[in-house]
Amino acid sequence: MGKLAQRIRGWLGPRTLGFRMDEVMSGEHRFEPGCGPPGRHPFEFRVTWGPDDLSSWIDPDDPQFLTQPLEGTVTAGGLCENAPCRGRLELRYFDEHALRYTFEFEAAGKRYRYVGEKVNIQPWNLPVSHTTCYGVVTEADTGRLVSRSVTHFRFRTIPAFLRSLRAA
C-alpha cells in the first residue's frame, strides 16, 4: 500500500469503498487459419468492473493503481456464446496511453485468454481511441493465436453505462 492509500485509510478507518460499472464492447473477430470457420463473426463482451478499494486504486505508488477486477460474459461467434469470463481491466492512461482488458474463459472444454487494448489515448482523440478495442484470443495453455477482434464501445450505450455506476 502506497503513502496516499495509507493516508486515505487513516481518514476512512478500516472501511473500504469501491465502485462497479457495467460495460458492453461489441464488434467482430476473424479466426486464424485452422482455428475456426472463415469470415467475420460477432464478438462481444459484457463485463462488470471496478475497484474494491478506491484508496489503493487512486494511489500511483500502489501496485493496483487504476487496475480493477472484471467479470462477465463473452460471445465469440464460432467459438462460444455468453461464456463466463473473469480477469482485469488496467487503465494505463499515464504510462502507456492505453486501456487493457485481460480475461479468461472456457469453450468446449478448452481455456482461452483474451487481451484487448484501447490504444493511443490522448485528450484530442477520445471519441475514437476510448471507444475502439483491438484484441486477440489465444489458447490459455499454449499461447496459440486463435482469433483477432475489433470491438467498439457504442455511443448509444453511454446512458446505460453511466447509470450502472454504483458503490461496492
Side-chain angles (χ1 to χ4, degrees):
M1 183 181 310
K3 292 177 186 174
L4 178 61
Q6 289 175 355
R7 187 173 299 145
I8 292 170
R9 283 276 175 84
W11 298 329
L12 293 176
R15 297 181 319 196
T16 59
L17 177 64
F19 69 85
R20 294 290 182 271
M21 294 191 84
D22 302 325
E23 183 174 8
V24 178
M25 296 292 297
S26 58
E28 59 188 26
H29 78 119
R30 286 180 178 252
F31 286 102
E32 290 296 299
C35 292
R40 296 177 179 178
H41 304 277
F43 191 93
E44 177 179 273
F45 58 92
R46 295 173 170 268
V47 294
T48 299
W49 56 265
D52 294 323
D53 181 0
L54 272 175
S55 59
S56 294
W57 188 70
I58 63 170
D59 185 349
D61 293 329
D62 192 286
Q64 294 304 310
F65 177 58
L66 298 181
T67 298
Q68 54 270 307
L70 70 73
E71 64 180 77
T73 61
V74 59
T75 294
L79 184 62
C80 64
E81 187 170 334
N82 294 318
C85 65
R86 176 172 281 159
R88 71 181 181 277
L89 169 59
E90 300 168 80
L91 307 178
R92 308 296 300 193
Y93 289 112
F94 306 109
D95 54 354
E96 298 178 28
H97 304 282
L99 278 73
R100 184 174 305 116
Y101 300 81
T102 304
F103 57 79
E104 291 194 1
F105 62 97
E106 188 174 310
K110 189 179 272 190
R111 302 276 318 147
Y112 293 93
R113 179 173 296 118
Y114 171 82
V115 178
E117 292 188 323
K118 296 177 181 178
V119 297
N120 194 28
I121 295 178
Q122 301 293 340
W124 55 85
N125 69 2
L126 290 180
V128 174
S129 66
H130 220 272
T131 61
T132 305
C133 185
Y134 303 94
V136 295
V137 173
T138 58
E139 293 178 350
D141 294 336
T142 66
R144 178 183 179 205
L145 180 62
V146 173
S147 79
R148 297 176 189 273
S149 66
V150 178
T151 58
H152 301 279
F153 178 86
R154 308 288 180 188
F155 287 112
R156 68 179 179 271
T157 67
I158 290 173
F161 177 68
L162 295 175
R163 283 192 311 269
S164 76
L165 177 62
R166 59 203 178 274

